[in-house]
Amino acid sequence: MKILADENMPYVEQLFGDLGTIEAVNGRTLTPQQIKDADVLLVRSVTKVDQALLSLNTGLKFVGSATIGTDHIDQNYLASKGIPFTNAPGCNATAVGEFAFIAMLELAKRFGTKLKGKVVGIVGAGNTGSAVAKCLEAYGVEVLLNDPLIEADDPREFVSLEELIARANVISLHVPLTKDGAHKTWYLFDEQRLQSLMPDVWLLNCCRGEVIDNRALIKVKRRRPDIKLVLDVWEGEPDPMLELVPYVELATPHIAGYSLEGKARGTYMLYQKLMAVLGLDADKSMTSLLPALWSQQVSLDELPSEKALLQLSRFVYDLRDDDELFRQTMLDDSSIKPLENSANNNGFDLMRKNHKHRREFSALKLATAGQSDVDWLFKLGFSGVGR
Ligand SMILES: NC(=O)C1=CN([C@@H]2O[C@H](COP(=O)(O)OP(=O)(O)OC[C@H]3O[C@@H](n4cnc5c(N)ncnc54)[C@H](O)[C@@H]3O)[C@@H](O)[C@H]2O)C=CC1
Ligand SMILES: O=C(O)C(=O)[C@H](O)COP(=O)(O)O
């Protein structure tokens, strides 16, 4: 069996190695010729899988995308050809949730305010939006949810987008990119909506760049310096509008979901599905794939203040490093070379490829012996000694 896998998908050898030969490919530049004789195709979000890409292949038995988003996959075409497809719903939701939460803590520190006491509006209350809400609610922050597509059969309370914009001090976007229908998300935040944001609002985008009209965002930011931005995703990736970068407080190259745990879960979910399609037992374990964190335990002598919570978060993942590298790479570091054979000539993909350092809160055990009211730390995601 020939398995073609994106070179940026970790743990492929460990999980799929017994099934056949594995060829690692650049997902951004994959051609029909390369796929011609593949039996299994494992991709990430940068590969558009459609009729054109599969035009020379006649024997494909499975396509898997180790991602939550599926906007890069022509699922109708795959279904019409009887090719089983799976993505990895929820695989990196915890990573996105923690990323947005940490970004909010960072902004609070930077602007001399507190996250606690703010109202956070979450647009899109699926896996990633709920993961952000879980962190915020554990910490005691009021959350507003907007999701016109699930509110009917979901017991949580929802508000309209207009109400959310009118009430939230912080807005975090967690919708799929959709181009049709009454609730399409392409340019959901267009110039008019951006202009209507509350004074001093923080706007975070960790879903897809095109959910915000980036050209309009530059225009609005020029008039509205009070708006603070966190952008992990950009219109036109891997070539974002560079004029936008200086207007952004925390700028990263689409890595909000890039925890080691999230990536491992993504590959593992494809492994489970392929084994089911092949009628084989999925007997490998995911946790055995993950390395230990460089320090596994921290003792808390008192409950953390917001400042200490940020320090704890930075101990697990310091988002500022990725922001700093992004600015150096995109704006002024000519020594960072473009990726070979890549359409990207500015290092966006290189940063993503090299991003292998981040863990989730659960990788850190907190020792809280003798203290009460500690449960919120574990709800937030940290592990507990002896728990
Ligand atoms: N930056 C990153 O690294 C990552 C980005 N993503 C992106 O985030 C998106 C969301 O991921 P999940 O939360 O896991 O997906 P999900 O499918 O679990 O949830 C998305 C939610 O958005 C809602 N929604 C759809 N249109 C809407 C609209 N117009 N207004 C409000 N809500 C709307 C849906 O009803 C659904 O509940 C993915 O499709 C992907 O594009 C996902 C993972 C990592
Ligand atoms: O899961 C998604 O959807 C994402 O956006 C991924 O985190 C993006 O990662 P890549 O697939 O582009 O490596």
Side-chain angles (χ1 to χ4, degrees), residues 310-327:
L310 176 58
Q311 278 162 350
L312 263 186
S313 307
R314 285 176 179 168
F315 190 77
V316 180
Y317 168 54
D318 197 332
L319 205 165
R320 297 170 304 170
D321 293 341
D322 283 331
D323 169 69
E324 188 184 341
L325 182 63
F326 186 88
R327 281 169 213 281

Side-chain angles (χ1 to χ4, degrees), residues 3-13 16 22-30 34-35 38 40-49 53 63-67 72-73 258 263 267 270 339 349 352-354 356:
I3 300 170
L4 232 63
D6 188 305
E7 62 192 2
N8 293 339
M9 191 180 297
Y11 310 119
V12 170
E13 195 57 54
F16 296 87
I22 295 168
E23 193 182 322
V25 290
N26 180 330
R28 185 82 75 185
T29 58
L30 198 58
Q34 285 174 286
I35 297 183
V40 169
L41 177 61
L42 305 177
V43 297
R44 301 201 58 91
S45 75
V46 297
T47 305
K48 195 165 170 46
V49 180
L53 186 68
V63 174
S65 179
T67 57
H72 54 299
I73 308 284
Y258 270 22
K263 285 188 180 183
T267 314
L270 302 191
L339 264 178
D349 279 347
R352 307 190 78 217
K353 186 182 173 66
N354 292 336
K356 294 177 179 154

